[in-house]
Structure formats: C-alpha cells, structure tokens
Amino acid sequence: MTELRYPIGVQTFSEIIEDGMTYVDKTHFIPLLIKSKYIFLSRPRRFGKSLLLSTLEAYFEGKRHLFRGLALDSMDVDWDPSPVLHFDFNSGVYETAVGLVARLSMTLETMEMKYGLPTASDTRELIPLRFERIIKQAAEMTGRKVVILVDEYDKPLLGLEKNREVFEDNQRLLKSLFGNLKSMDRYIRFAFLTGVARFSKVSIFSDINHLKDISLDDQFSDICGWTEEELVGTFRQGIEKLALRRKEEYATTLSVLRDYYDGYRFTSEGSRLYNPFSVLRALDSLSIEPYWFESATPSFLFRMIVDNAIDPADINGHLFSKRELMQVRIGARNPIPLMFQTGYLTIDSYDEELDGYTLRFPNREVEVAFSEDLLPVYFEQSTTSDEPFNIVGFRKDLAEGDPVSFMKRLATAFKDLPVEDQREGTYRAVTYLLCKVCGMDTRTETHSYKGRSDMEVLTRRYVYLFEFKYNKSAREAMEQIHSRDYAGRYALDARTVFLIGVNYCDKKENRGLTYEIQTL
C-alpha cells in the first residue's frame, strides 16, 4: 500500500497533485460557484480557503490534466483558459501606512510584467489605476474575460483596532482597489474574495454589484473543511497507523479525532466538519494534540473579552441573527461575531421562529486553545512575574486531590493580576480558564434544588465544588455551599468531594485571595 503524503502547509493545488500528495476532492463545487459572478466566502484561517482559490486558479487557467480522476474532470464545464489575477494577503506586514502599498505594488508589478505593461510608480494614488489598466490589458491581450481571486482580503485590517489611522488608510486603499470591479465589469468573468471577517460600516464591497455572500449558504456548507465521510474515505490508512501508535482500536482513535477536531458547522443545515490543518498535523505526527494555537487569531479578540468583563464560562449558548454573525464592527464591544468568524465558535442550532443561531465551541481542541489564548491576557500587564502560573502544577494538584496546593498557587497567581482588572467576575473567570487549560471537566452555574453552584471541576477520582465571593469572606462562601446543598447530588458519589469557599478582596490593605476547604 502506498504511503500517504500529507500536504502540511502546502496550499498550492498543482503542487499537491503533481507531487502525489493526498487531496480531498472539492472540485464538484466549481460548477456551482461559477454560476455567480461575484462571490464572498468567510471561513476561519487554516481551513482551506487558500487551497480552494488555488484550485479555482488551476481550473480557470485550463489545466485540465491536474483534474484527472477528480469530480470536475467528468463535469460539463468550459475548460478554455482565462487570465487570472490572484491577490494573496496572507503574507505581508500591514501595521504601517506603507505595508499594504508595498504588498499591492509588488503584486501589481508582477501582473504588469506578465501582460506587457510598463511598471508604474508604487505610489498609493496610482494603485487603483494600475489595477484597472491590468484588467483591461489582460482581457484585450487574451481575448478572454478576467478572473480575479482575492485571498484573505481582511488581513490588512484585522488587529488594527488601536491604530485607526493605519486601519482607515488600508480600508480606503482596499475600497478604491476593489471599486474598480464595478467600472471594469465588462472585462470580468468571475471574482472570488475570501477572508475571516466581513467588516460592516467599512464599505469595501459597496461598489461591487451583486456580491453573493455564500458563508452561511447550505449549498456551500462543506466547501472548506472535511466531513467525516471525506476523512475516513481519504485518510483511513493514516487513522489506522495512528491507532496502532496509540495502541487502541481504529474506532477509538476515530472517536478521539472527532472529539478534538470535528464539530464545525457554518450553516444551519450543514454537515459537521473537521479542521483540515489540525487533522493533517495529527496524522503526520502520529499525535493528537491541540494545534489550533498556530492559527494566528487576532490578539485584540481576547483583549475585548477582558476589557468588557465578559465571563468566558458564559460564551457558549448565545443567540445571534445571521446579520449579526456576518458583520464585524470596529470598536464593537461584543466579541462573539468575531469568535464565530475566526472559528472559536460554531453553529450549534438554528431557531426558525426567532431566526437566530445558537453558538458553541466546536470541539475540545478549540475550547482548550481559547482558554490558553485568553488566560495570559488577564496577566499581560503584570510586572512582578514573567510566568504568573504553572499549568503543570495546577493540573497535578487537581489530578492528585490536593486542593490546598491548588489554592496556594491560585493565590500567588492573583497577586500578578493588574489592578485595573481586579473586579468581580475576574477571579472566577481566571480560575475557570485555568481548570479548562488543565484539561479538566469544568462546569459553571450547575443547578441544585436550592440554587446554582459557581463552578465544579470533575476528575476521575475527585470533585471540586467552588463558591466565589468578592469583598466578603471565604466563610460566607462556604456557608452558602452548605445552606443551598450544592454538594447534595454527590452524596452517593464514590469520588472524594472537596468544598472550596473563595473570597477575593480588592481593598489595598487586605488585597488578595482567602479560602476555606472542607471535605464532604
């Protein structure tokens, strides 16, 4: 049996096919895509958008030999080549006013050379005119209408919320560049733009006639990402090899892969999807790990959560309209739409009566990555410690039934919390995130017949039941645990149950964490 070759980091369709790498066939979507002229698709990073554009580029360039044996090869489509203008914003530095100008000028210069045009000055003002001239020249030289592919259009915008001057400069330049698509419509065959976020009140696309957003379209729900059928059909050999390494049954390994990497849904009726990047990394390295941290999520997303005192334990289960999910507003206080578009949240269900989507974390990998990315933000302004917490130590304490050591570590960590973030809710949030990062089954607001406990952490041998107070006392927290019988449900549980009353005082003279621990 031929060994599978995984295209780790390879986003070029021709390279994957010509080098015999494993490819999940998505070419059957192409005839459906090209029924429209202007299309926009939002998907998280590392989800296959670049490969999709590269596949479209190969098709429009008439490279039929690359599609032999694939779905498109037997479909009735026009294989006559068209000139393709491909913009890739994945690479480039956009934090300064000249970054986007330099990137665009380099791309346009390559196009000018290809179509026999003199290279123009790289001034900001000339960039839209250069693009217009290239479109016209390419169409007239080849006698075919032009195809325009734009990969990650929003990369020059994300992360610039605190640098409004550069953001607005980049926004105006992108608007003027893509505004040419309207005036050059007679020369254009097809245009496809992708990104993570679709910004509202930015109007980059306002001049494009009939731009079709397929991001929440059921027809295209699995255009990026892999269904379990595709995963098993293409990578069964790799899954079997991984199961052998893990010394477990094939079905068990598949179940673990599903738990870690499956669960994305981008439409109300769409299939559950696996993250291609993480699956490839797992199969290639023969190790199931959280690889999501490599996906380069905008750091300001997490700062929004902390600054706006959003409880991370409450992020699952929010209801949003389609319009809210697909529009990102600069300066907005709610990070949930951006969390959906960046892949931290996915569609759990759709309420037809309310016309709203309920969101949740898609899988274990993302939930752990979210906690790992968010936790340091609470401590990023700390000046007293370079490493405010030791995750391995916290995990060991919980696993071995040592709540005293756990709370001592927690008290030390809270000393590094910036004064401006010392507010009610922060302490439970940090404790919750720590337990999540430790990989523990962590639950909040668990109902009992007399009320709801603040937080519970469940391990194989131990249960930790927390009640948090703020500027009160640990004794009051413990009394509430007993008076509301939060631990009653564990009366017959074989595990050891620890009751932990916690109080945090932010008064200067008594600032810090106190706690009381009892055993049920």
Side-chain angles (χ1 to χ4, degrees), residues 302-316:
F302 304 104
R303 192 69 247 176
M304 287 172 65
I305 293 172
V306 174
D307 288 346
N308 293 296
I310 295 172
D311 189 339
D314 291 339
I315 285 177
N316 266 342

Side-chain angles (χ1 to χ4, degrees), residues 198-254:
R198 179 163 179 172
F199 287 91
S200 63
K201 298 184 179 179
V202 172
S203 303
I204 288 174
F205 305 120
S206 61
D207 292 329
I208 303 178
N209 289 333
H210 310 302
L211 179 69
K212 181 178 180 180
D213 188 345
I214 63 171
S215 304
L216 294 178
D217 189 328
D218 283 321
Q219 294 181 95
F220 301 100
S221 63
D222 58 335
I223 194 170
C224 293
W226 299 336
T227 65
E228 186 158 304
E229 182 181 4
E230 290 172 328
L231 173 69
V232 171
T234 307
F235 296 101
R236 186 178 184 91
Q237 178 187 344
I239 300 171
E240 290 173 345
K241 187 174 180 180
L242 177 60
L244 188 63
R245 168 64 68 87
R246 291 170 56 86
K247 299 179 181 180
E248 61 190 17
E249 297 294 325
Y250 171 88
T252 302
T253 297
L254 180 59

Side-chain angles (χ1 to χ4, degrees), residues 26 29 41-44 46-53 192 194 220-227 230 264 266 271 273-276:
K26 298 286 187 177
F29 283 107
L41 174 68
S42 168
R43 286 292 184 271
R46 308 277 192 167
F47 231 87
K49 299 190 299 297
S50 296
L51 178 57
L52 175 61
L53 287 187
F192 193 14
T194 74
F220 301 100
S221 63
D222 58 335
I223 194 170
C224 293
W226 299 336
T227 65
E230 290 172 328
Y264 297 90
F266 298 108
S271 304
L273 299 171
Y274 286 80
N275 177 348

Side-chain angles (χ1 to χ4, degrees), residues 13 27 30-31 34 55-82 144 189:
F13 175 72
T27 62
I30 291 179
I34 61 179
T55 307
L56 284 167
E57 183 173 17
Y59 161 68
F60 282 115
E61 289 179 341
K63 297 178 179 178
R64 187 167 187 173
H65 64 283
L66 296 175
F67 293 84
R68 289 187 185 126
L70 299 178
L72 189 66
D73 191 36
S74 60
M75 303 178 81
D76 184 19
V77 293
D78 176 10
W79 287 97
D80 290 338
S82 293
R144 298 279 293 181
R189 175 183 178 185

Side-chain angles (χ1 to χ4, degrees), residues 58-280:
Y59 161 68
F60 282 115
E61 289 179 341
K63 297 178 179 178
R64 187 167 187 173
H65 64 283
L66 296 175
F67 293 84
R68 289 187 185 126
L70 299 178
L72 189 66
D73 191 36
S74 60
M75 303 178 81
D76 184 19
V77 293
D78 176 10
W79 287 97
D80 290 338
S82 293
V84 178
L85 305 179
H86 193 160
F87 292 85
D88 184 359
F89 291 106
N90 277 293
S91 57
V93 179
Y94 306 110
E95 286 78 16
T96 65
V98 299
L100 181 56
V101 174
R103 181 67 185 172
L104 285 173
S105 185
M106 182 176 67
T107 301
L108 294 175
E109 183 177 334
T110 301
M111 295 174 180
E112 287 164 342
M113 294 173 63
K114 181 175 181 178
Y115 294 106
L117 290 169
T119 301
S121 167
D122 61 354
T123 60
R124 173 182 295 269
E125 292 73 22
L126 286 179
I127 283 177
L129 297 177
R130 292 170 67 184
F131 185 35
E132 183 177 319
R133 186 177 62 170
I134 291 167
I135 293 173
K136 184 177 180 181
Q137 176 76 356
E140 292 179 347
M141 177 183 289
T142 62
R144 298 279 293 181
K145 290 187 176 182
V146 173
V147 171
I148 298 169
L149 304 176
V150 182
D151 196 6
E152 306 288 11
Y153 90 94
D154 56 341
K155 189 74 178 291
L157 301 174
L158 287 171
L160 293 175
E161 79 292 347
K162 292 185 178 180
N163 193 341
R164 291 301 294 267
E165 183 178 353
V166 176
F167 175 89
E168 290 171 1
D169 282 345
N170 288 354
Q171 175 259 313
R172 283 192 293 267
L173 182 53
L174 290 172
K175 177 177 170 57
S176 64
L177 180 74
F178 298 131
N180 282 318
L181 301 187
K182 180 177 182 179
S183 62
M184 304 302 289
D185 181 74
R186 64 189 181 279
Y187 298 107
I188 297 173
R189 175 183 178 185
F190 179 77
F192 193 14
L193 298 87
T194 74
V196 169
R198 179 163 179 172
F199 287 91
S200 63
K201 298 184 179 179
V202 172
S203 303
I204 288 174
F205 305 120
S206 61
D207 292 329
I208 303 178
N209 289 333
H210 310 302
L211 179 69
K212 181 178 180 180
D213 188 345
I214 63 171
S215 304
L216 294 178
D217 189 328
D218 283 321
Q219 294 181 95
F220 301 100
S221 63
D222 58 335
I223 194 170
C224 293
W226 299 336
T227 65
E228 186 158 304
E229 182 181 4
E230 290 172 328
L231 173 69
V232 171
T234 307
F235 296 101
R236 186 178 184 91
Q237 178 187 344
I239 300 171
E240 290 173 345
K241 187 174 180 180
L242 177 60
L244 188 63
R245 168 64 68 87
R246 291 170 56 86
K247 299 179 181 180
E248 61 190 17
E249 297 294 325
Y250 171 88
T252 302
T253 297
L254 180 59
S255 178
V256 177
L257 286 170
R258 185 185 303 125
D259 180 49
Y260 263 84
Y261 309 126
D262 190 22
Y264 297 90
R265 286 179 66 208
F266 298 108
T267 72
S268 58
E269 301 296 328
S271 304
R272 291 166 58 94
L273 299 171
Y274 286 80
N275 177 348
F277 173 77
S278 295
V279 171
L280 288 174

